[in-house]
């Protein structure tokens, strides 16, 4: 039985990265290195107004005063920030008016990723903004959205076309002083998605962004801003892939979400950046700051993430429950394999009355990986009658990996209730034996149990994504199902 | 002699009106039964009478032993002699049954300006009551209701009733969860405790319990008030015809 | 401030050495203390315990030896033992020094034992706490003055619980560093009851270390009551090493405390060990208590259990950090952590951090933590039976806190604790 298990694990570990192709397109690259001139260069390339440049420079100067955070349960090799290029764009293609203008090879890339830009997504009802390295390529589905006055465009366009909205909200949830990576992002962010749902509008389609890092030696720093005005609703999906390269690539994104009174935002991520090969070579360093604010009373934010990629993940999608009667949720499945390291979790900061939050985190560690849940639940003095329930489970498969749980719970109000539960174990032998007694092979049984284990999270995903996520998860399980 | 008088009682939960003008008089020595479809407010009536928080009385009055019941704190009502055998008794880990009963018995005696009960008398009382209801010594040693089966919890409620000898006992669905032998034993216990000075209000869905504890009056409740009253035959009629027919809905 | 302690050390070196001759250990302690200094709030492990009020004062070394007050015993109600050692302000009461029984048990003040059997004490001194883990531990190594020493030879079971009492009552800023050592050889067993207290006017700061060594199949139970009044600041660190088959049970009842930190380190170094660490704390006013438990599963097939419960009233602050480390080869580990708290007042606050760090796969580890109010349904049930709101509350709270001591077999100890908890609750 041990043998079978080892075989399963071996196969899982050796499973190649499915999206590891590169695209040959002429790129315009900024010279390597980071200084004020580079920041100006990025801003100029993007034709930004002065206020944006000023913001970037302020952020850059602040970043210089900061040090890389060390508190994660991560072993991060030294990153030479001067050896990266901070801007890469397909040459001579700042913007596409119609799909015909798009470089066929680029289109092909997206097809390989399973994201046909127009037709197919119209069928599935997803509006896609595809970010290729640093520039947003094409936003589909514009017309449908226009009718509802929903703005869904690239961040660069938003800065030009909706400066007031951007000015009002950018940095309002994640200030450029927030942390090392957020600061860096504010200085050099390349592009990303911008989304504004006006009062009372329910966005009828799932909005979606695909991120892909293509060029070697570049960093990708997208910036996403989602605003749901009073009573608005939107569901937003984010997918990430990168080609297979031997050196590590840096990804430091910032996502800000603002939910005004009675608004609801659902944010789902399937993160599948290249995790490096089975010896730990290559892979993305994913240092992401994602934060939402339930600003108005009665607002709701829900994060769902399926994390299977990246060599190192450092990510804590968080919610500030500022309004009264607000709701925040965090559902996460994180799978680490080979030499991957993940330190991920959520923060729920309760400030408003009757605020409720839920955390469900499922970690699965294989190979020689380290998988850490780190979370914080805090009830402020005025968070009367608030509630939190957290459930953090870790599954270990193999005796070379680690699973760690670091919850921080702080309560300053005597009317709240916090409940936290966590378990760490391997797959239960009695469950395995039960399934085997019913005729399943070891591999099938393991696969079934792991899927069942993650189900609570997967079922939170929008339909279109759930299938994809299950498939991704089964990249880990595939080798085991005969 | 009149024990309790409920007049035009209106009760809200979460701003939703559940009791909508409930009237009932119970004299000492009487046994009343209340029947009615699920969700009509039977348990709400019981909870409101014993003073459960969040049950907002918006209108009406309740006079218990000549005093305004609604003005009293939860424990005052209990000490005055009102007892509720809960439909769903609460589990209280860490508080042993014996310690709990001793504390409660003494609280009652203190209320009546009596000395605390002597250990010997207390043990006698415990023995008598537990034999009457048929609960084991093992149960008495455990924490209040913790890990008790559904039937054991019900028996434990009646054990407490036997210990405390209230003036008015409200029994909310005593029969649910009890096996047939236990039901008989518990009913017999109640019959033994029944006398001309106390009274019972029995909430039930089934005739079966009323076969053992014969009521003087049967009331049918629907949508927050009593819609029909009669003697013990009303319950039998209900069993054969069903609510719709009895309430004249067909 | 560090310089101040360097001077204090130089000034008192001879005096200290004449009491406990430790030489190297003291020098190393001072060196480590100077290097590490006082732990600051920025350090992960000291987030919930500010050392500012300690750093603010210039503590003198305490040399006041006091007679034991007789009325002290009356407080113990039934815990008296033929094996008793009494400390006042860190000094062993002079009429008790050392006791040796025929079967080889040695029990006494560490000062007396070190003088008579230096090799016995030095074999263990700082051996469970090798690295002077933090500034305070190092400070204790440098300034250690007294403490108790208990040695139980192979196969010996001490029948009566050993009683150790410690009381602080000094109205000036004095520093107390006690070092206790408990050694249980293979198959030895004993129970220690510790009563730690201070008086309202006390200003002394106590920084104590207890090192325990459990041989194979040894069984050690520590039942401790902490009741500190006044401005007492206390840091109690314990380091326990367990050999295979040994069983360590530590139960701490904390009744208030101006500023108290318990650091409990357990290292499971043999297979089939069990460590069972329980704590109940009842706080009010400005009480501040920080409990930290570190359990290192260094070998396979061991179990550990942590169960802490807190009741917080007034403006009190409570914290629990539980750490379970399961090393790579420690297969078949079972570890459980639980911390539940009830917050009674608007101004009280609590933080709880149950941490698991796991590198072996065949394990069952879990934790649960909760912060909440009294169970309102239970309150209602009790009141509906005729108990007053106060009485119901007291009954439920005391049951809540006492639950962590359910495995304690010493009923006398439990009675005393239960009474102390009720008194504390009634006061509010
Ligand atoms: N805490 C509550 N909050 C909101 N509604 C409640 C609450 N408790 C009861 N209700 C509602 O009040 C109504 C009456 O409930 P109640 O429990 O009194 O019914 P019942 O007659 O005892 O029913 P059953 O025969 O099923 O026991 C139901 O519609 C119920 O859903
Ligand atoms: Mg009912």
């Amino acid at each position: 039985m041990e043998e079978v298990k080892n075989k399963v694990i071996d196969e899982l570990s050796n499973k190649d990265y499915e999206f590891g192709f590169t695209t040959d397109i002429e790129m315009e690259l900024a010279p390597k290195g980071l200084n004020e001139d580079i920041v100006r260069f990025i801003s100029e390339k993007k034709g930004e107004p002065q206020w944006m440049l000023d913001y970037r420079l302020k952020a850059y100067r602040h970043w210089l005063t900061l040090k890389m955070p060390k508190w994660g349960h991560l072993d991060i090799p030294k990153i030479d920030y001067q050896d990266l290029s901070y801007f890469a764009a397909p040459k001579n293609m700042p913007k596409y008016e119609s799909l015909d203008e798009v470089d066929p090879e680029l289109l092909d890339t997206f097809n390989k990723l399973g994201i046909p830009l127009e037709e197919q997504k119209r069928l599935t009802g997803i509006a896609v903004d595809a970010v290729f390295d640093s520039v947003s390529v094409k936003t589909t589905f514009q017309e449908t959205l226009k009718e509802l006055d929903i703005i869904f465009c690239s961040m660069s366009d938003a800065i030009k076309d909706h400066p007031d909205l951007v000015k009002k909200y950018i940095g309002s949830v994640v200030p450029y002083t927030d942390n090392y990576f957020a600061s860096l992002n504010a200085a050099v962010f390349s592009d990303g998605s911008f989304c504004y749902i006006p009062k009372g509008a329910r966005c009828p389609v799932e909005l979606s962004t695909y991120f892909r890092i293509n060029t070697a030696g570049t960093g990708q720093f997208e910036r996403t801003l989602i605003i749901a005005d009073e009573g608005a609703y939107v569901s937003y999906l984010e997918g990430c892939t990168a080609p297979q390269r031997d050196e590590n690539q840096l990804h430091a994104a910032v996502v800000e979400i603002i939910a005004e009174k009675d608004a609801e935002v659902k944010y789902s991520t399937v993160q599948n950046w290249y995790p490096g090969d089975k010896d730990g070579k290559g892979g993305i360093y994913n240092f992401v700051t994602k934060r939402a604010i339930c600003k108005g009373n009665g607002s709701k934010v829900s994060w769902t993430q399926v994390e299977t990629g990246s060599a190192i993940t450092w990510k804590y999608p968080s919610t500030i429950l500022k309004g009264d009667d607000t709701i925040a949720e965090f559902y996460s499945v994180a799978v680490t394999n080979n030499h991957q390291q993940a330190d991920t979790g959520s923060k729920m900061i309760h400030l408003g009355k009757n605020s409720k939050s839920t955390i469900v985190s499922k970690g699965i560690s294989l190979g020689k990986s380290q998988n850490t849940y780190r979370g914080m639940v805090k009830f402020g003095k005025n968070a009367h009658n608030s509630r939190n329930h957290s459930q953090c489970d870790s599954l270990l498969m193999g005796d070379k990996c680690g699973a760690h749980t670091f919850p921080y719970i702080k309560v300053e109000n005597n009317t709240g209730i916090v409940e936290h539960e966590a378990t760490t174990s391997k797959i239960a032998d009695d469950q395995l034996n039960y399934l085997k007694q019913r005729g399943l092979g070891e591999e099938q049984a393991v696969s079934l149990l792991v899927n069942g284990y993650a189900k609570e999270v997967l079922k939170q995903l929008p339909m279109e994504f759930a299938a994809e996520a299950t498939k991704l998860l089964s990249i880990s399980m595939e080798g085991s199902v005969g | 002699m009149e024990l309790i008088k409920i007049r035009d009682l209106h009760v809200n939960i979460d701003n939703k009106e559940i009791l909508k003008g409930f009237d009932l008089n119970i004299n000492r020595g009487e046994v009343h039964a209340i029947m009615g479809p699920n969700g009509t407010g039977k348990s709400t009536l019981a909870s409101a009478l014993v003073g459960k928080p969040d049950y907002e009385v918006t209108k009406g009055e309740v006079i218990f032993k000549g005093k305004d019941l609604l003005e009293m704190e939860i424990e005052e009502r209990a000490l005055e002699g009102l007892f509720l055998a809960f439909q769903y008794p609460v589990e209280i880990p860490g508080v042993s049954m014996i310690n709990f009963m001793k504390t409660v018995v003494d609280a009652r005696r203190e209320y009546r300006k009596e000395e605390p009960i002597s250990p010997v008398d207390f043990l006698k009382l415990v023995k008598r009551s537990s034999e009457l209801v048929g609960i084991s010594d093992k149960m008495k040693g455990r924490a209040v209701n913790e890990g008790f089966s559904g039937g054991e919890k019900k028996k434990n409620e009646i054990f407490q009733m036997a210990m405390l000898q209230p003036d008015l006992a409200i029994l909310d669905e005593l029969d649910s969860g009890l096996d047939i032998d236990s039901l008989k034993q518990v009913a017999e216990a109640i019959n033994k405790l029944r006398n001309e000075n106390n009274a019972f209000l029995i909430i039930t869905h089934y005739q079966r319990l009323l076969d053992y504890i014969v009521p003087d009056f049967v009331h049918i409740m629907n949508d927050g008030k009593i819609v029909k009253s009669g003697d013990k035959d009303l319950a039998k009629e209900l069993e054969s015809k069903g609510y719709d027919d009895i309430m004249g809905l067909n | 401030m560090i310089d101040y302690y360097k001077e204090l050390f130089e000034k008192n070196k001879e005096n200290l050495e004449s009491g406990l001759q430790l030489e190297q250990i003291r020098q190393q302690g001072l060196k480590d203390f100077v290097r590490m200094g006082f732990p600051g709030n920025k350090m992960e492990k000291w987030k919930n315990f500010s050392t500012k009020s300690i750093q603010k004062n210039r503590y003198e070394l305490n040399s006041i030896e006091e007679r034991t007050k007789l009325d002290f015993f009356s407080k113990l109600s039934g815990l008296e033992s033929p094996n008793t050692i009494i400390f006042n302000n860190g000094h062993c009461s002079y009429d008790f020094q050392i006791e040796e029984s025929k079967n080889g048990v040695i029990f006494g003040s560490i000062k007396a034992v070190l003088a008579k059997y230096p090799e016995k004490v030095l074999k263990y001194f700082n051996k469970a706490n090798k690295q002077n883990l933090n500034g305070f531990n190092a400070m204790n190594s440098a300034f250690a003055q007294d403490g108790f020493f208990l040695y139980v030879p192979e196969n010996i079971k001490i029948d009566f619980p050993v009683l150790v009492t410690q009381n602080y009552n000094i109205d000036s800023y004095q520093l107390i560093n006690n070092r206790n050592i408990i050694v249980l050889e293979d198959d030895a067993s004993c129970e220690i009851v510790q009563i730690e207290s201070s008086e309202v006017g006390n200003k002394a700061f106590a920084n104590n270390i207890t090192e325990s060594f459990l041989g194979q199949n040894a069984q050690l139970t520590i039942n401790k009551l902490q009741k500190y009044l006044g401005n007492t600041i206390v840091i109690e660190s314990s380091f326990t090493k367990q050999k295979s088959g040994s069983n360590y049970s530590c139960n701490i009842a904390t009744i208030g405390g101006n500023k108290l930190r318990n650091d409990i380190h357990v290292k499971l170094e043999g297979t089939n060990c069990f460590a069972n660490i329980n704590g109940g704390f009842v706080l009010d006013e400005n009480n501040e208590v920080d409990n930290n438990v570190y359990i290192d599963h260094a070998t396979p097939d061991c179990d550990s259990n942590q169960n802490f419960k807190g009741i917080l009233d007034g403006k009190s602050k409570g914290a629990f950090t539980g750490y379970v480390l399961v090393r790579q080869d420690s297969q078949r580990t079972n570890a459980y952590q639980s911390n539940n708290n009830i917050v009674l007042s608007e101004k009280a606050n609590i933080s709880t951090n149950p941490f698991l760090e796991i590198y072996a796969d065949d394990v069952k580890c879990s934790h649960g933590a909760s912060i909440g109010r009294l169970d309102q349904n239970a309150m209602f049930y009790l009141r509906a039976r005729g108990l007053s709101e106060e009485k119901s509350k007291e009954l439920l709270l005391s049951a809540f806190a006492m639950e962590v001591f359910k495995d304690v077999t010493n009923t006398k100890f439990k009675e005393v604790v239960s009474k102390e908890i009720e008194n504390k609750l009634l006061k509010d």
Side-chain angles (χ1 to χ4, degrees), chain A residues 58-290:
Chain A
K58 254 196 300 189
Y60 174 70
R61 285 168 200 148
H62 182 77
W63 179 73
L64 289 176
T65 69
L66 301 176
K67 284 207 179 71
M68 273 270 283
K70 275 197 298 219
W71 44 261
H73 193 277
L74 298 170
D75 180 13
I76 306 174
K78 202 169 155 35
I79 298 171
D80 184 353
Y81 290 91
Q82 296 304 336
D83 195 36
L84 286 174
S85 169
Y86 288 83
F87 186 76
K91 223 173 206 166
N92 303 325
M93 285 180 215
K95 195 161 178 189
Y96 305 92
E97 289 309 321
S98 90
L99 215 55
D100 302 337
E101 292 174 42
V102 179
D103 186 320
E105 194 148 1
L106 191 57
L107 274 185
D108 195 40
T109 304
F110 284 116
N111 282 327
K112 272 190 215 160
L113 288 172
I115 324 157
L117 274 174
E118 204 97 50
E119 280 311 312
Q120 294 185 26
K121 287 302 161 183
R122 193 184 296 279
L123 289 175
T124 52
I126 300 176
V128 178
D129 185 26
V131 176
F132 186 76
D133 275 347
S134 301
V135 206
S136 171
V137 181
K138 176 73 185 121
T139 307
T140 59
F141 235 104
Q142 283 297 356
E143 252 123 76
T144 327
L145 300 179
K146 221 174 244 162
E147 283 164 26
L148 287 161
D149 290 328
I150 291 172
I151 305 168
F152 180 45
C153 62
S154 72
M155 197 68 188
S156 320
D157 287 348
I159 291 169
K160 282 180 221 136
D161 303 340
H162 311 282
D164 292 346
L165 281 174
V166 176
K167 244 195 240 175
K168 178 170 174 197
Y169 289 108
I170 198 166
S172 70
V173 192
V174 182
Y176 67 83
T177 50
D178 194 80
N179 68 67
Y180 188 82
F181 300 112
S183 209
L184 178 63
N185 176 287
V188 302
F189 73 85
S190 29
D191 212 333
S193 299
F194 176 86
C195 161
Y196 174 81
I197 319 293
K199 270 187 197 170
R202 278 189 73 84
C203 186
V205 295
E206 315 269 356
L207 300 184
S208 168
T209 302
Y210 264 82
F211 296 108
R212 179 167 172 80
I213 300 179
N214 198 53
T215 316
T218 55
Q220 180 155 328
F221 306 92
E222 342 78 43
R223 181 113 201 163
T224 297
L225 184 53
I226 298 172
I227 303 139
D229 215 325
E230 283 184 24
Y233 166 84
V234 63
S235 167
Y236 184 93
L237 319 175
E238 173 200 86
C240 322
T241 60
Q244 202 163 337
R245 291 188 187 282
D246 280 352
E247 73 272 28
N248 301 99
Q249 281 166 291
L250 178 64
H251 175 253
V254 169
V255 175
E256 295 179 278
I257 297 177
I258 295 105
E260 299 284 2
K261 187 169 177 293
D262 297 323
E264 179 176 351
V265 178
K266 231 173 123 68
Y267 192 105
S268 315
T269 309
V270 173
Q271 188 264 109
N272 184 29
W273 298 114
Y274 179 52
D277 68 11
K278 70 179 199 315
D279 300 317
K281 203 157 179 224
I284 303 288
Y285 293 166
N286 190 28
F287 302 128
V288 179
T289 308
K290 293 186 167 182

Side-chain angles (χ1 to χ4, degrees), chain B residues 140-190:
Chain B
K140 284 177 290 182
R142 280 158 54 182
V144 180
N145 291 324
E146 194 186 28
F148 286 19
S149 73
E152 284 171 342
K153 281 182 185 164
K154 292 298 168 76
K155 279 192 190 175
N156 188 22
E157 294 292 286
I158 300 308
F159 163 70
Q160 292 177 35
M161 188 187 89
M163 292 283 296
L164 301 176
Q165 313 245 339
D167 294 308
L168 176 62
I170 305 170
L171 314 177
D172 194 356
E173 297 201 18
L174 181 65
D175 41 353
S176 71
L178 283 179
D179 64 50
I180 198 75
D181 292 337
S182 302
L183 183 68
K184 254 192 229 165
Q185 185 170 18
V186 166
E188 270 166 33
I190 291 168

Side-chain angles (χ1 to χ4, degrees), chain B residues 50 52 73-75 78-79 83-84 86 90 92 94-95 100 103-104 108 145 157 160, chain C residues 375 377-391 395-396 399-400 403:
Chain B
V50 294
K52 190 163 183 181
E73 290 290 328
I74 304 167
E75 56 269 27
L79 295 171
F83 180 93
L84 170 60
F86 288 86
V90 182
I92 309 180
V95 177
F100 167 56
T103 320
V104 171
R108 229 158 250 254
N145 291 324
E157 294 292 286
Q160 292 177 35
Chain C
D375 179 351
N377 285 326
M379 274 295 282
F380 170 60
Y381 188 86
L382 293 180
R383 291 181 68 193
R385 291 292 176 261
L387 298 189
S388 69
E389 199 170 345
E390 274 63 52
K391 187 75 202 166
L395 208 60
L396 290 176
F400 173 81
E403 189 269 344

